[in-house]
Amino acid sequence: MPQLSILIPAHNESDRIGATVTAIRHVAEHSGLTWELIVVDDGSTDGTADIAQAAGATKVVRLRQRRGKGAALRRGLAEATGEIVLLVDADLGDDAASLGALLRPLLDGVADMAIAAPPPDPHGGGFGIVKTFSAWAIRTLTGFQPTAPLSGQRAVRRTVLERITLADGYGVETALTIDTLWAGVRVVEVPIGFRHRALGKSWQGFWHRAKQLRDIVCALLPRLARFTAQILRRKLYRRKGGE
């Protein structure tokens, strides 16, 4: 059984998946751990799966239809067997080589989930609305103040992932942070330099961020309901205790 499972969800990433797989293989080969590298092709139509396989993925799972990032990760986790799971976005390219730093907090026993926190993008993206909203939700529901609430680059103990259910779509990162903190998991952020494909203030960028916001809201609704119910129960308990 491998000690490390690297999991990459990908949709139409033929231009970057090869470089991403090559770079993260380098990380795995120098980690000192036994490993597997799983790419979940989320209904791609551009040859993403074939390129990932040629680049050295140990397993490529092909989904016939696009089901979204959360579903792709859940499918990949069903295949993964490692004690530590390293989640990697498909569009990092050569920058994926920097993610080895995420393993150290888990190997040293100081954290159960490590999140890569990149520096601010000097070229700018959107207006920061989605990131600000996600950070507010995490802080409000858990007290944890994230600097990279949307980061998909994470090292997580398998035992942690077995205790929760990953949310759908692009809400997966926000919900994962909330759920792990609620479960008493030790979470740290690790400053790491990496960049995604730049969408900027193009219509594609705004459309992508609109879908992110939609998915985050959908993931938050049941968690907000649970949080509110807990507060109401505590108030009721205190009120009865004072009677």
Side-chain angles (χ1 to χ4, degrees):
M1 179 180 295
Q3 297 166 292
L4 173 65
S5 293
I6 301 167
L7 180 55
I8 307 177
H11 173 74
N12 286 349
E13 293 288 354
S14 61
D15 59 336
R16 292 204 175 193
I17 189 64
T20 301
V21 169
T22 299
I24 203 64
R25 273 182 60 93
H26 181 78
V27 171
E29 290 166 355
H30 289 79
S31 68
L33 305 172
T34 55
W35 56 275
E36 62 183 358
L37 198 167
I38 302 169
V39 173
V40 180
D41 178 17
D42 189 23
S44 296
T45 58
D46 65 349
T48 290
D50 293 334
I51 295 172
Q53 190 128 36
T58 56
K59 179 179 290 188
V60 177
V61 179
R62 304 174 190 240
L63 304 182
R64 292 184 178 180
Q65 296 181 334
R66 189 177 187 184
R67 297 170 55 194
K69 186 175 185 180
L73 285 172
R74 290 195 299 270
R75 181 68 178 84
L77 285 172
E79 302 285 338
T81 58
E83 299 168 14
I84 294 175
V85 180
L86 181 61
L87 307 179
V88 180
D89 286 342
D91 66 346
L92 296 189
D94 294 339
D95 284 358
S98 65
L99 299 183
L102 287 177
L103 301 176
R104 183 49 51 193
L106 278 69
L107 295 175
D108 289 345
V110 299
D112 303 302
M113 181 167 74
I115 305 170
D121 185 351
H123 301 287
F127 298 106
I129 295 173
V130 179
K131 179 179 178 180
T132 299
F133 176 69
S134 175
W136 168 84
I138 293 169
R139 182 179 66 252
T140 300
L141 296 183
T142 69
F144 179 76
Q145 178 62 66
T147 60
L150 303 177
S151 176
Q153 325 324 312
R154 302 175 182 227
V156 194
R157 295 193 192 281
R158 182 178 182 83
T159 52
V160 171
L161 294 171
E162 289 173 346
R163 297 164 60 186
I164 63 177
T165 300
L166 295 179
D168 288 327
Y170 295 114
V172 62
E173 289 90 4
T174 301
L176 176 57
T177 302
I178 293 170
D179 291 347
T180 51
L181 288 167
W182 276 354
V185 168
R186 298 169 299 171
V187 176
V188 298
E189 290 187 316
V190 181
I192 295 178
F194 68 88
R195 290 176 58 189
H196 290 282
R197 176 186 291 104
L199 294 175
K201 294 180 175 64
S202 63
W203 72 266
Q204 295 98 330
F206 287 121
W207 178 242
H208 173 73
R209 286 183 283 275
K211 290 190 289 185
Q212 275 187 309
L213 184 59
R214 175 203 64 194
D215 290 350
I216 290 170
V217 168
C218 290
L220 283 175
L221 287 175
R223 290 163 177 84
L224 284 168
R226 175 183 169 186
F227 180 72
T228 302
Q230 289 175 338
I231 291 176
L232 292 175
R233 282 196 296 268
R234 288 172 189 163
K235 288 184 177 180
L236 181 60
Y237 177 80
R238 290 170 185 167
R239 182 177 300 174
K240 288 184 176 180
E243 291 177 354

